[in-house]
Amino acid sequence: MTLRLLFDDIRSTIQKICNNLGYPQTEFDVSEASRPEFGDVSCNIGFLLAKSLKKRPSEIAESIANEYKKDKGKLVTEVNAHSSGYLNFTANYPLLTKSVIQSSVQENYGQIDIGKNSKIVVEHTSVNPNKALHVGHVRNIIIGDTMARILQKACYDVRVLNYVDDSGLQVADIIVGFRYGGFSREPPKGQKFDHYCGDVVYVNITERYETDTTLAEKRSLILKELEGGLSDTAKFGDEITRRVLEEQLKTCWRLGVTYDCLNFESQIVRSKLWKDVFEKMKSMGMIELEKEGKNEDCWVIRTESEDDKVLVRSDGTATYIAKDIPYAAWKLGIADDPFYYKQYGTQRDGRILWETTLENTGTKLNFTGDAVITVIDSRQSRLQKIITKIMSDFKSKEGAYVHLGYESVTLSADTAKTLNLDTGGKSIQMSGRKGIYVNADYVLDILGVKTYEEAKKRNPDLNEVKLVQISEQVAIGALRYSMIKQDLDKIITFDMTESLSLEGDTGPYVQYAYARAIRILEKGGKAPNFDVSFNDLKTSYETSLAKTIGKFDIEVKDAAKNLSPKIIARYCYDLAVTFNAFYEHVKVLTAESEALVNARLCLVYSFKETLSKSLYLLGINAPERM
RNA sequence: GGGCCUGUAGCUCAGCAUGGACAGAGUGCUGGACUUCUAAUCCAGUGGUCAAGGGAUCGAAGCCCUUCGGGCCCGCCA
């Protein structure tokens, strides 16, 4: 049993009582009490019926409480009608604690069936393959990865895609850099190829466009050559982007992120996907050939409140958004799949990473979904809105295509200063083109150094390998947590110094609680016996820990339904706070009796298991020592 | 000009979907707790006209309207 079942039990009992009393049907709320003195569970039905029954809320609560008291069932020990109008309940703790502890040690604890095994696609990362990942990209990656994990826990059949835009202008820029910028094909020793391309080649060549106009001409020639896909230039571009992609993926894997399939834009462009979708839009009357005005001879899509959007230029070429439409249709399984598949490699967690190909490999796979979630920052909301509309017309159904938007990551004034930028005390938008960013690998490395020192200080007995392992886990925990803990519509102002903080509401704080629990279990020596009564776990530290553990599936449901990954971050933090309070105030190994030691060990074990499972949803590993 | 997002403690943010019991965390600052299951911790104090105004409601941080501040987006670029 978990808290959810307690809530359900109370809800259905109230429902029954209301029917018996002849009260009208109404949607009422049963949720956790806002303060301990109000008990464990509260219901607002008194307020909701006050008007139609023409009674005071407290009177109604009173009448329900009186009925409820006649048969409280097993799970509830106290029912109170509060003078404010609320109906409050106190849980049967021995029973609640016992069932929470016993269910929490099951493998699939926290799982809740919302998805009914339906197929869902999550696309994230999708970074242009001409540069290294910076902290802004990390937000996208972590939102996507965390959401995919949560949806899986909520019984969706999840496929994760990474869209590789290997045919755009940025690719042409890099080629210009290598061909005409005088840059060596190989990075200096010790520098990753993606860092070299982004930090050196791309930033430099972009700067030179301003003074050297011939370079821009060369770029447009290269862009044309890329489109065909057969020229030496296209082959060279392919070589570069694949090398960058490989390095980018290393960073993603380092963060604990894996994918199912890589989709290459160049292949989408060369396939017949666009043609099919274009015809379909024409036949459905969704687009029009403009006869006059500034968009004369272009195929445009009309939108309700905004300007017409050009899909096909007057010269017959497709615009940027036009490339996204067939891909979106492909993800939803609306269009025929023109691709074959081949293995890109096997990832750290054993998951095979596939890639699309237009060559006949004989392998056909299906990476489409009944629903699609595309993680892209909200600056693209306008375009995504158009795509969403088109997809709902194709599917004749709303909600199949979801743009999961989020606000951008900016750099704090202090951090900008370290890049020699004076922003006048304001934060600044990152820009790959201008070289205004902080690379993800760099942040992880600096964090690693700091966490290594901390770990070594606290654990002088641990060997080098172990210390490095711990510091890497904590560094990743810190970064991932900081990217997910706040709401998607809040701008994150990244500050290097602040990101090194490992105290308070941070990943390391949560990980530390895990290490503490492990230590108790280790020192406890033997495996705890769960087949006992837990009546002795009486302190509020123990009961609230059990209660918090019991909320896991409620949180998973909430996070999955609202596509809100931060809910799980908050839950992990809640678990850690509650455990730390328990840890400071309740002795486990030196408790009065052997039975109590055992019962508390069970609680600690239950906490450890639940925290580990919920941290897994955040893609965070907790070390056993810190 | 139009569209989207945002404004809650010195700072960073929960709470807003589904209105209800004295508005919560972290951080900062002040003080306290390590011969103890690791102090990356805990405890206490400090700190708020929930941007402003109006409306509907028995009741608003939350819903509606207006105003103001901040950010982003509006190309036959990607």
Side-chain angles (χ1 to χ4, degrees):
Chain A
M1 185 189 82
T2 62
L3 280 212
R4 190 168 53 87
L5 298 179
L6 172 65
F7 292 169
D8 289 349
D9 180 71
I10 291 172
R11 176 186 298 279
S12 65
T13 308
I14 293 174
Q15 191 79 63
K16 222 178 295 165
I17 289 169
C18 285
N19 286 343
N20 292 343
L21 291 173
Y23 291 169
Q25 289 274 347
T26 179
E27 279 283 307
F28 56 91
D29 192 37
V30 174
S31 56
E32 200 188 355
S34 59
R35 290 160 192 280
E37 59 263 38
F38 298 141
D40 300 298
V41 182
S42 295
C43 176
N44 66 348
I45 192 161
F47 299 105
L48 301 171
L49 292 178
K51 199 162 202 178
S52 60
L53 294 179
K54 295 200 171 72
K55 285 182 181 173
R56 276 180 291 119
S58 56
E59 267 182 84
I60 297 164
E62 191 81 40
S63 66
I64 297 172
N66 285 337
E67 289 303 306
Y68 209 117
K69 279 174 186 160
K70 289 176 188 164
D71 180 13
K72 295 194 288 267
K74 281 186 191 164
L75 307 179
V76 171
T77 56
E78 267 181 66
V79 185
N80 269 307
H82 193 266
S83 56
S84 62
Y86 272 104
L87 195 51
N88 293 329
F89 302 85
T90 303
N92 177 349
Y93 277 114
L95 188 59
L96 182 72
T97 307
K98 185 181 170 110
S99 38
V100 165
I101 289 176
Q102 289 180 342
S103 14
S104 69
V105 297
Q106 284 161 16
E107 186 60 35
N108 63 353
Y109 184 60
Q111 185 173 304
I112 184 158
D113 192 1
I114 299 172
K116 315 278 181 216
N117 207 35
S118 64
K119 291 187 284 182
I120 194 161
V121 167
V122 178
E123 185 217 314
H124 64 80
T125 306
S126 308
V127 179
N128 292 332
N130 69 330
K131 55 174 166 278
L133 306 177
H134 62 54
V135 287
H137 301 128
V138 174
R139 187 174 194 183
N140 180 299
I141 295 167
I142 301 309
I143 289 168
D145 184 60
T146 305
M147 215 48 247
R149 289 164 183 263
I150 291 167
L151 290 169
Q152 190 159 37
K153 189 78 176 172
C155 298
Y156 285 91
D157 181 7
V158 183
R159 295 98 205 275
V160 180
L161 307 178
N162 181 358
Y163 180 69
V164 183
D165 181 359
D166 60 342
S167 67
L169 204 62
Q170 299 90 339
V171 179
D173 284 330
I174 283 290
I175 297 173
V176 172
F178 281 114
R179 284 246 176 102
Y180 309 106
F183 294 105
S184 153
R185 289 274 290 271
E186 293 303 318
K189 212 171 173 205
Q191 189 172 31
K192 277 180 86 202
F193 189 70
D194 54 343
H195 291 180
Y196 175 61
C197 277
D199 302 354
V200 180
V201 183
Y202 185 50
V203 168
N204 269 294
I205 204 71
T206 304
E207 232 175 65
R208 273 194 238 174
Y209 285 128
E210 286 175 21
T211 50
D212 185 348
T213 49
T214 62
L215 279 181
E217 288 165 27
K218 288 181 171 126
R219 175 173 65 177
S220 45
L221 284 175
I222 286 174
L223 200 56
K224 281 220 175 67
E225 280 187 80
L226 282 177
E227 277 166 21
L230 295 169
S231 63
D232 284 347
T233 302
K235 281 197 193 108
F236 180 54
D238 203 48
E239 202 182 297
I240 302 272
T241 52
R242 284 192 171 255
R243 259 183 94 180
V244 172
L245 173 64
E246 193 185 332
E247 295 299 325
Q248 287 181 342
L249 285 172
K250 280 182 194 163
T251 308
C252 300
W253 292 330
R254 183 179 180 189
L255 286 165
V257 177
T258 55
Y259 308 85
D260 292 305
C261 188
L262 302 169
N263 293 60
F264 292 87
E265 182 176 83
S266 58
Q267 295 171 17
I268 290 171
V269 171
R270 284 168 215 157
S271 75
K272 60 181 184 53
L273 255 185
W274 164 245
K275 203 171 154 259
D276 290 356
V277 169
F278 186 40
E279 290 307 321
K280 188 164 181 174
M281 284 191 290
K282 274 198 258 185
S283 68
M284 289 175 77
M286 290 157 69
I287 55 176
E288 289 171 45
L289 184 59
E290 185 61 74
K291 302 268 174 20
E292 56 188 12
K294 65 179 174 114
N295 293 335
E296 191 179 342
D297 294 331
C298 294
W299 283 94
V300 300
I301 183 155
R302 313 248 187 245
T303 60
E304 274 171 38
S305 53
E306 289 146 24
D307 290 347
D308 298 346
K309 192 79 206 158
V310 173
L311 291 186
V312 178
R313 303 183 185 103
S314 49
D315 68 359
T317 57
T319 60
Y320 166 70
I321 184 172
K323 292 182 193 171
D324 272 0
I325 295 167
Y327 178 48
W330 175 90
K331 285 189 282 189
L332 277 168
I334 293 166
D336 288 340
D337 186 1
F339 302 118
Y340 291 93
Y341 296 87
K342 63 180 182 192
Q343 286 197 17
Y344 183 89
T346 305
Q347 298 164 101
R348 264 206 234 167
D349 56 356
R351 188 180 196 169
I352 292 170
L353 177 58
W354 295 88
E355 61 171 297
T356 55
T357 174
L358 290 169
E359 290 162 31
N360 187 341
T361 58
T363 306
K364 286 299 246 183
L365 294 167
N366 185 348
F367 291 107
T368 66
D370 306 319
V372 167
I373 293 167
T374 305
V375 183
I376 312 183
D377 77 88
S378 45
R379 284 175 294 195
Q380 300 221 36
S381 295
R382 190 175 277 258
L383 293 178
Q384 285 296 312
K385 202 174 144 197
I386 295 172
I387 293 171
T388 305
K389 174 71 168 60
I390 295 170
M391 292 308 122
S392 72
D393 287 350
F394 276 174
K395 271 251 175 192
S396 5
K397 182 176 124 188
E398 300 269 325
Y401 185 92
V402 177
H403 168 218
L404 188 59
Y406 61 91
E407 277 293 343
S408 52
V409 180
T410 62
L411 296 182
S412 73
D414 285 347
T415 299
K417 216 168 267 174
T418 66
L419 303 174
N420 291 320
L421 290 165
D422 184 6
T423 60
K426 284 195 193 164
S427 57
I428 184 172
Q429 286 283 331
M430 282 190 279
S431 160
R433 196 169 278 278
K434 293 180 192 153
I436 306 171
Y437 52 81
V438 176
N439 280 335
D441 289 318
Y442 175 74
V443 175
L444 285 175
D445 290 345
I446 301 279
L447 266 170
V449 170
K450 166 123 189 220
T451 52
Y452 177 90
E453 281 163 7
E454 296 287 329
K456 185 161 188 165
K457 200 162 68 193
R458 287 161 228 263
N459 303 278
D461 60 311
L462 289 180
N463 66 37
E464 197 61 17
V465 175
K466 203 77 200 159
L467 286 171
V468 168
Q469 205 181 354
I470 291 168
S471 63
E472 180 75 357
Q473 280 183 354
V474 177
I476 289 163
L479 183 58
R480 287 195 67 134
Y481 190 89
S482 73
M483 286 292 150
I484 209 74
K485 76 167 178 176
Q486 55 198 306
D487 215 35
L488 301 181
D489 48 25
K490 289 286 198 313
I491 293 170
I492 293 181
T493 306
F494 181 83
D495 182 83
M496 197 61 225
T497 311
E498 204 179 294
S499 77
L500 289 173
S501 153
L502 310 173
E503 289 160 18
D505 185 6
T506 65
Y509 172 91
V510 180
Q511 291 171 309
Y512 184 65
Y514 180 85
R516 281 179 141 184
I518 289 286
R519 205 63 169 154
I520 294 176
L521 294 169
E522 255 175 36
K523 293 212 168 168
K526 53 182 183 235
N529 174 15
F530 286 87
D531 194 19
V532 294
S533 92
F534 292 95
N535 296 1
D536 293 339
L537 301 181
K538 288 195 183 98
T539 68
S540 67
Y541 298 109
E542 291 159 297
T543 52
S544 30
L545 182 54
K547 247 168 77 176
T548 308
I549 292 169
K551 283 190 232 168
F552 193 15
D553 59 352
I554 297 176
E555 307 288 341
V556 172
K557 182 179 175 184
D558 198 2
K561 283 207 156 175
N562 295 302
L563 301 181
S564 179
K566 70 142 195 260
I567 287 170
I568 300 300
R570 296 197 69 79
Y571 178 59
C572 286
Y573 180 66
D574 250 14
L575 274 171
V577 167
T578 317
F579 176 77
N580 275 328
F582 163 84
Y583 183 95
E584 296 281 345
H585 297 100
V586 179
K587 292 295 158 220
V588 176
L589 301 178
T590 53
E592 302 86 87
S593 71
E594 210 169 300
L596 190 55
V597 171
N598 179 69
R600 285 181 178 163
L601 279 175
C602 287
L603 181 59
V604 172
Y605 187 87
S606 164
F607 160 75
K608 176 216 116 187
E609 283 294 297
T610 307
L611 182 63
S612 154
K613 287 182 181 106
S614 46
L615 276 176
Y616 174 81
L617 299 181
L618 300 183
I620 295 176
N621 279 311
E624 306 205 329
R625 296 276 297 268
M626 266 178 84

